[in-house]
Amino acid sequence: MGLTLRLAWLVLDNTFRNPLRTLLTALGTVALVLVVTLVYTVLDNLDRITTEKSANLKLIATEKWQIPSQLPYRYVAGLAQGAAKNETDTRPTDYMSWAFFLGSLEADQSSRDFNSFIFAFVMEPEKVLTMMDELDELSPDSSDYKNLAAAVEKLKQNKQGIILGQSRMKKLNKKVGDRFKLYSRNYKDISLEFEIVGTFPQGRYDESTTFRRDYLNSALDQYQRDKGKAHPLADKSLNLVWLRVPTRDAFNEVANQIAEAPEFSAPAVKVETASSGIGNFLEGYRDLLWGARYLLAPACMATLALVIANSISISVRERQQEFAVMKVLGFQPYQILLLVLGEALFVGVVAGFFSATATYAFVNYGLGGLPFKIGFLPTFDVPVSAIFVGTLMGAGTALLGSLIPAWSACSVKVSEIFSRVT
């Protein structure tokens, strides 16, 4: 026990013997662990999103043969029931329909001021808290839930209401209660007036927007009355329908019911799990994510190992006489090995833990999430597990980088060192 404490004291003493070198090594560790933590954050969130659940599944019903999906709104009623016709048929426990509406505050269709753009989910307002990912998991006692519930209630009462993400509202230079007119870019000749009734909680939906489905339907009906003909997208205004089912078996039954229903044959509908649908959407980012996982992260770890190896090697070369004296005093080779490894591990663990913890706190509480926009996923929260991963990376690379220098230290030959001194 006494020898262990002595070695621990020597580790601390030797670590701060050259504070500048230790600081530079720690800063290199902090920087590279930061990069790996951010990469891990994105990959972990995407893995979680695309991992299928065994219960409480969400399904996506879309047009089978066309991207983007464009279905007639009349499909909603039947899809919401999972095409169930008999009492024995399986029905979803909840549903949500989406239409995508892209608009701008600028009436000029050639304008490219993207800060004036809004991308909205057109849906049933009561589904915001029951079907939207992450929002359906908010605790009823949380302030985020209460604020959003109040906004949803206002949206139900105000046909022209709209809920904005906090980042999008700042870019528009608006606040709750403001009114504005939105000129559609995908629904030609459709313009809608809105009043901001609330915001989404900070995080995933910072850039998102939602307004009522019946408001868009009314605008399309008004277009037909004014123009004497239906809008080109009047019968294509349903982009997808979300369905919730309790089990995988229920998913299979609902999917079969929809596939066999003749009313969903023109155009045909396909049903897939939400994780599968999002995975297909992310297919375009496959090479980027593969590079981050298998090239960037390993490269950072290799670089960090080299930085630590170089630092420890310099220290070992400077202290050869010291190691020779330690052997004369009775220190065993394995104790010298542990001493050098301990110095590297101390720096690696402390710097790795500090970097990962600081990244977790700053990104989650300072930035409200990592602003790495992929499609409709604008931000990613750093998971708590990233702190463990960052610490483990600091320790692992420190151990890997110090093995050869530590072996060199414990292999010092006393006779050779003292003959040089003589």
Side-chain angles (χ1 to χ4, degrees):
M1 184 66 177
L3 183 59
T4 301
L5 291 175
R6 191 186 315 166
L7 282 174
W9 173 254
L10 285 173
V11 165
L12 292 175
D13 184 54
N14 291 333
T15 298
F16 297 104
R17 176 182 295 182
N18 191 323
L20 178 59
R21 183 186 302 148
T22 299
L23 178 62
L24 291 176
T25 303
L27 289 176
T29 303
V30 167
L32 292 171
V33 169
L34 167 64
V35 174
V36 173
T37 300
L38 297 180
V39 171
Y40 174 80
T41 295
V42 174
L43 297 176
D44 178 78
N45 277 272
L46 293 179
D47 286 342
R48 178 174 52 81
I49 291 170
T50 56
T51 298
E52 291 189 6
K53 299 178 182 179
S54 58
N56 200 26
L57 291 166
K58 285 182 181 177
L59 318 180
I60 301 178
T62 57
E63 188 174 354
K64 189 172 185 178
W65 305 116
Q66 177 176 293
I67 298 176
S69 168
Q70 293 181 317
L71 299 169
Y73 180 67
R74 66 175 182 274
Y75 275 21
V76 171
L79 290 175
Q81 296 299 314
K85 296 180 176 62
N86 304 314
E87 290 294 328
T88 56
D89 288 342
T90 302
R91 287 173 168 76
T93 57
D94 204 351
Y95 82 96
M96 169 178 64
S97 69
W98 272 5
F100 300 137
F101 187 94
L102 178 63
S104 171
L105 299 182
E106 305 290 338
D108 181 5
Q109 292 291 308
S110 64
S111 173
R112 292 296 180 267
D113 180 9
F114 293 106
N115 283 337
S116 71
F117 277 64
I118 286 180
F119 177 80
F121 303 123
V122 188
M123 56 183 291
E124 303 82 1
E126 63 273 11
K127 304 300 182 180
V128 170
L129 285 167
T130 65
M131 285 294 293
M132 296 281 276
D133 285 345
E134 296 185 13
L135 301 181
D136 58 357
E137 298 174 359
L138 291 174
S139 169
D141 296 326
S142 67
S143 59
D144 284 342
Y145 180 92
K146 293 176 181 178
N147 292 337
L148 183 57
V152 169
E153 192 59 36
K154 292 178 182 177
L155 185 60
K156 291 179 183 178
Q157 298 171 5
N158 185 352
K159 192 173 184 178
Q160 294 183 324
I162 190 169
I163 297 176
L164 294 178
Q166 297 183 31
S167 294
R168 177 50 47 186
M169 189 161 64
K170 288 179 181 178
K171 290 176 182 178
L172 296 174
N173 195 26
K174 301 292 183 182
K175 62 182 183 297
V176 175
D178 284 355
R179 300 185 65 87
F180 61 88
K181 192 171 186 178
L182 201 59
Y183 299 88
S184 180
R185 293 301 177 89
N186 58 329
Y187 285 86
K188 186 179 179 181
D189 296 327
I190 297 292
S191 58
L192 302 174
E193 294 185 357
F194 292 101
E195 178 182 350
I196 303 174
V197 296
T199 63
F200 286 111
Q202 190 174 34
R204 177 170 176 176
Y205 295 97
D206 277 349
E207 292 287 343
S208 300
T209 307
T210 188
F211 65 88
R212 287 169 52 161
R213 155 55 84 170
D214 58 346
Y215 190 24
L216 177 60
N217 288 348
S218 297
L220 294 174
D221 292 340
Q222 186 63 46
Y223 177 95
Q224 183 170 13
R225 288 192 292 269
D226 294 342
K227 302 289 186 179
K229 60 179 180 179
H231 190 278
L233 295 181
D235 208 33
K236 299 178 181 180
S237 65
L238 177 64
N239 293 110
L240 58 90
V241 174
W242 295 78
L243 305 172
R244 190 193 296 276
V245 294
T247 64
R248 184 74 191 191
D249 289 340
F251 159 70
N252 292 331
E253 292 168 3
V254 168
N256 289 333
Q257 290 169 187
I258 293 175
E260 295 171 0
E263 63 268 30
F264 301 132
S265 60
V269 173
K270 69 175 179 180
V271 178
E272 56 190 337
T273 61
S275 56
S276 175
I278 295 173
N280 291 336
F281 171 81
L282 295 174
E283 188 69 17
Y285 300 92
R286 179 182 58 183
D287 292 341
L288 173 64
L289 298 175
W290 184 90
R293 187 188 299 270
Y294 296 110
L295 295 180
L296 180 58
C300 288
M301 295 179 69
T303 301
L304 179 54
L306 288 174
V307 168
I308 293 175
N310 184 61
S311 175
I312 298 298
S313 294
I314 294 173
S315 175
V316 168
R317 284 197 297 271
E318 292 176 347
R319 297 161 56 196
Q320 286 191 339
Q321 291 185 25
E322 176 186 327
F323 294 137
V325 171
M326 291 177 69
K327 282 192 172 183
V328 171
L329 293 176
F331 281 84
Q332 299 299 311
Y334 80 88
Q335 293 171 335
I336 296 176
L337 177 73
L338 291 177
L339 177 65
V340 177
L341 291 178
E343 294 170 16
L345 280 172
F346 178 76
V347 174
V349 168
V350 172
F353 176 78
F354 171 80
S355 179
T357 303
T359 302
Y360 173 85
F362 178 72
V363 171
N364 288 358
Y365 301 108
L367 298 179
L370 177 64
F372 188 79
K373 185 174 177 60
I374 296 182
F376 52 84
L377 305 171
T379 60
F380 297 97
D381 288 337
V382 179
V384 176
S385 58
I387 298 177
F388 172 76
V389 171
T391 305
L392 186 63
M393 179 191 170
T397 51
L399 183 62
L400 184 64
S402 61
L403 279 175
I404 295 177
W407 182 258
S408 173
C410 73
S411 301
V412 166
K413 296 186 181 301
V414 176
S415 58
E416 290 182 3
I417 298 300
F418 286 121
S419 65
R420 274 186 244 151
V421 174
T422 303

